[in-house]
Amino acid sequence: MQPTSRTQVRRTPQRGEYDLDVIYQILDEALVCHVGFVSDGQPIVIPTAYGRVGDRLYIHGSPASRMLRSLQTNLEICVTITLLDGLVLARSAYHHSMNYRSVVIFGAATTVTDPEEKWQALKAFTDHVVPQRWSDVRPPTSQELKGTLVLTLPLTEASAKIRTGPPLDDEADYQLPVWAGVLPLQLTTTAPKPDPRLPSEITIPNAIENYTRTTSCISLKHL
């Protein structure tokens, strides 16, 4: 993807990544995005869940949501997603950092009116949280579908920014007797807790028992 004036990474540009496969990989691993927009002159940033189908991002919620009502007006928005991979501990306070993978998306969201696309978007939301979950649960009723607003944003103006590797200290500081390195971070789960009203004969699905968020295999030079 060619960067635009909005997606071009200017601060530490060597960390910029515009390959769609890399952007998709980050989107598919993360769980929450932050939607930034201006409503009545007031800047607002709202965290929300999302799903991806091909080259489109989907968000959903109640038609009464101020965010979704605002976004229906063809408002320009900025969506951000961040995965934190590690704390970068340098020999100096100045060079402490974090290893991360992030995506920034610009565009205007539109309302999904096609019933089939709306159905596929809701499936994407569900399976994004837990793979194959849609096939295990009751699908939405017609009333639930009517009460859910789905918006879509094309992934045509997006970029990623990635930092990997050890701290980058000033050359003179490498002689300091201070521990330096990376403290890796990872999203993990504990044992599933059954609903108190769940019948004992219902076993834990494999996708939940062995749940994990996919760790990226992005191979890049240290940035």
Side-chain angles (χ1 to χ4, degrees):
M1 177 187 297
Q2 286 295 115
T4 68
S5 60
R6 295 196 292 186
T7 62
Q8 180 75 50
V9 176
R10 292 177 172 79
R11 173 68 176 166
T12 55
Q14 69 274 19
R15 297 180 185 172
E17 178 62 62
Y18 308 98
D19 183 87
L20 275 175
D21 287 339
V22 173
I23 292 170
Y24 292 166
Q25 190 176 47
I26 296 170
L27 293 176
D28 293 347
E29 184 175 342
L31 286 168
V32 175
C33 70
H34 288 78
V35 181
F37 58 101
V38 176
S39 178
D40 297 326
Q42 173 70 42
I44 300 172
V45 178
I46 301 291
T48 187
Y50 65 91
R52 180 182 73 87
V53 179
D55 61 355
R56 303 195 74 85
L57 193 79
Y58 292 89
I59 58 176
H60 75 300
S62 167
S65 161
R66 177 172 66 166
M67 177 183 74
L68 296 186
R69 289 201 318 270
S70 297
L71 300 193
Q72 287 186 88
T73 63
N74 204 37
L75 194 68
E76 284 289 323
I77 64 174
C78 177
V79 178
T80 62
I81 295 96
T82 304
L83 291 168
L84 187 57
D85 295 323
L87 304 178
V88 181
L89 308 176
R91 293 163 182 82
S92 69
Y94 182 79
H95 288 297
H96 276 60
S97 187
M98 297 181 185
N99 283 340
Y100 60 88
R101 289 164 288 148
S102 63
V103 170
V104 175
I105 307 163
F106 294 96
T110 56
T111 304
V112 175
T113 57
D114 178 71
E116 178 59 28
E117 184 181 3
K118 188 174 185 179
W119 187 267
Q120 290 302 319
L122 295 174
K123 179 179 183 298
F125 296 137
T126 307
D127 287 344
H128 184 220
V129 177
V130 176
Q132 289 88 52
R133 185 65 176 168
W134 182 264
S135 61
D136 291 341
V137 300
R138 174 183 66 77
T141 64
S142 58
Q143 192 61 34
E144 289 170 338
L145 286 172
K146 290 178 182 177
T148 304
L149 179 62
V150 176
L151 301 180
T152 181
L153 179 68
L155 298 172
T156 53
E157 194 173 3
S159 63
K161 191 175 183 182
I162 300 167
R163 190 202 188 279
T164 64
L168 301 174
D169 274 305
D170 293 336
E171 192 61 38
D173 289 339
Y174 283 97
Q175 306 306 315
L176 294 173
V178 177
W179 190 93
V182 176
L183 184 61
L185 299 176
Q186 187 177 13
L187 182 65
T188 62
T189 64
T190 56
K193 297 180 179 180
D195 185 323
R197 298 181 61 176
L198 186 74
S200 59
E201 65 271 16
I202 298 180
T203 59
I204 302 174
N206 181 67
I208 296 175
E209 191 168 29
N210 299 301
Y211 184 87
T212 183
R213 298 310 293 177
T214 303
T215 301
S216 173
C217 296
I218 297 172
S219 178
L220 296 171
K221 62 183 178 181
H222 294 329
L223 301 170

